[in-house]
Structure formats: structure tokens, C-alpha cells
Amino acid sequence: ETGVTQTPRHLVMGMTNKKSLKCEQHLGHNAMYWYKQSAKKPLELMFVYNFKEQTENNSVPSRFSPECPNSSHLFLHLHTLQPEDSALYLCASSQDYRGNEKLFFGSGTQLSVL
Amino acid sequence: QKEVEQNSGPLSVPEGAIASLNCTYSDRGSQSFFWYRQYSGKSPELIMFIYSNGDKEDGRFTAQLNKASQYVSLLIRDSQPSDSATYLCAVMDSSYKLIFGSGTRLLVRP
């Protein structure tokens, strides 16, 4: 596989469920990101990991919990979400962080919270 | 609050015409500028980047940067229906944060 792969593509969950999003990059990049994309709004940065260390937490509620076991894998653990959390969640990677980073995005997870 | 502004559109152009997409930004110290294309139901894809004032051409795409006026634009020559997508402008500001605009939806009419 090449590029950035994300699973699942679609996820429907109730407010009491616990689920996880998975991302894997095969580009040899050092930085990985979680973004949230809601309709008609700009992409919102949630978390950044650089060399598997968290470097950014953009005031994200604790019901979103990231995990980065190594530079190639990134998870987003979800629990007790709210309906307003329904959105497209995008994983991305870049060669470096806080350089002239060019982002490579995964296909995204379309999340619906009922 | 540092911002990146784009007209949401849709911008409708006939096939073969030049599509001009514009973006303004508020942080005068911004350093790097990117254009991403996002097809409906797909993820964003980087198509152009520019760091210095002036024009940068890549095939049918030209990025233009004017730091004094704080705007960056994307020209698409000989527009094709396959260019119909939402184009996201992204700006790396003076604190090295990448800020995205809301995107401009482009429709190329056959």
C-alpha cells in the first residue's frame, strides 16, 4: 500500500459507544495529524504528532483521545461523543513539522453520532 | 485571530476558460502558501505551493503571490469539467501554523 490509509471509511456510533479511528502512512514521514472537517467550515487541526510525540492539542475535548505508537501509525479513540461531533475526520502526514510542510491526506472517516 | 478568506462560490466557468481563484490572509508574516483540491466525498490533495512573490507555473496551474497585498491566487487555464472541485487555500503563518480557508467551489460547465 502507498500513501496514507485510514479506516474505517464510514462510522455510525451512539453517544455511549467507544470506537477508534486508525491511520497508517507509508511515506516515511515524521509528522502525523488529525483534522476535523465540518460542512462549510475550514479544516480544523486537532492534534499533531512529530516523531511520535504530541506537539499540538488544539483545545480538543477529552472525549477525543489520540495515540501514536510509532511514526507510521496514528489512532483517534472516541468515547461519549456528541451529535455535533459528526464530521469528516482526516488523517494527514508530512515529512517535517513546522517547516514548509506539505500535507498528504488519508481518505477520511465520515463519522455520524446519533 | 489569524484568518484565511476565500469566496465560497460556486465559481462557474465554461470549459476552456481561465478559472481564477482568490485567497486573502491576515498575518503579514505568513511564509508559505498552498492550494489543495478536494473532490466531493474525497480528501484534499496538494496541487500547488508557493513561497516567494510572483508567479509559479505547473502545467495548466499558476499560483500567484503578492505579499504586500496579502493575497494568493490560483489560475487554471483551459478549464476542464474534471477540474470541478473545491479548492482550499492554506497559509503557514508567522508562528508556523497552517491555517485553511473554507474553500471555493469551482464548476466547469461542458
Side-chain angles (χ1 to χ4, degrees):
Chain A
E1 288 203 53
T2 58
V4 182
T5 56
Q6 266 187 262
T7 55
R9 291 294 306 275
H10 301 275
L11 179 61
V12 179
M13 59 188 289
M15 288 190 284
T16 59
N17 291 158
K18 289 185 180 181
K19 296 286 184 183
S20 296
L21 311 185
K22 179 183 175 182
C23 178
E24 182 176 1
Q25 59 97 359
H26 307 270
L27 300 168
H29 288 169
N30 299 315
M32 296 188 77
Y33 310 74
W34 281 115
Y35 278 90
K36 175 183 178 182
Q37 188 174 37
S38 304
K40 306 296 184 186
K41 293 174 71 174
L43 280 167
E44 298 175 50
L45 178 64
M46 300 176 71
F47 301 103
V48 182
Y49 279 81
N50 192 36
F51 291 98
K52 77 176 184 178
E53 298 296 323
Q54 187 178 127
T55 54
E56 291 272 354
N57 177 337
N58 213 24
S59 302
V60 180
S62 60
R63 56 186 184 269
F64 295 91
S65 175
E67 178 190 0
C68 187
N70 54 61
S71 293
S72 298
H73 293 85
L74 186 63
F75 297 89
L76 188 62
H77 304 300
L78 315 172
H79 62 99
T80 60
L81 294 191
Q82 305 298 310
E84 60 264 29
D85 296 322
S86 298
L88 179 67
Y89 289 84
L90 291 161
C91 173
S93 70
S94 67
Q95 183 62 57
D96 301 299
Y97 176 58
R98 293 210 162 179
N100 290 326
E101 63 221 4
K102 301 162 195 160
L103 297 177
F104 292 78
F105 286 90
S107 52
T109 295
Q110 187 65 54
L111 173 67
S112 297
V113 181
L114 304 178
Chain B
Q1 179 78 9
K2 296 171 183 174
E3 293 182 337
V4 175
E5 300 284 346
Q6 293 182 258
N7 189 315
S8 61
L11 172 66
S12 181
V13 300
E15 184 174 356
I18 295 175
S20 178
L21 304 161
N22 299 312
C23 171
T24 59
Y25 57 93
S26 61
D27 182 1
R28 185 169 288 278
S30 297
Q31 307 177 39
S32 309
F33 307 84
F34 306 86
W35 284 99
Y36 287 82
R37 177 178 62 200
Q38 187 172 22
Y39 291 114
S40 180
K42 302 292 185 182
S43 58
E45 173 193 15
L46 180 66
I47 55 171
M48 287 289 285
F49 56 91
I50 186 167
Y51 305 139
S52 304
N53 270 333
D55 295 1
K56 179 182 178 183
E57 187 174 316
D58 183 2
R60 295 186 297 111
F61 298 101
T62 299
Q64 299 176 316
L65 175 61
N66 184 324
K67 289 187 176 180
S69 300
Q70 294 176 236
Y71 82 78
V72 56
S73 60
L74 179 70
L75 302 180
I76 306 175
R77 289 182 299 282
D78 188 24
S79 295
Q80 302 296 310
S82 58
D83 295 324
S84 297
T86 297
Y87 290 80
L88 308 177
C89 174
V91 175
M92 180 165 291
D93 69 16
S94 54
S95 57
Y96 297 97
K97 294 207 171 193
L98 191 63
I99 303 173
F100 282 84
S102 299
T104 298
R105 186 171 161 227
L106 173 66
L107 294 175
V108 181
R109 308 186 304 271

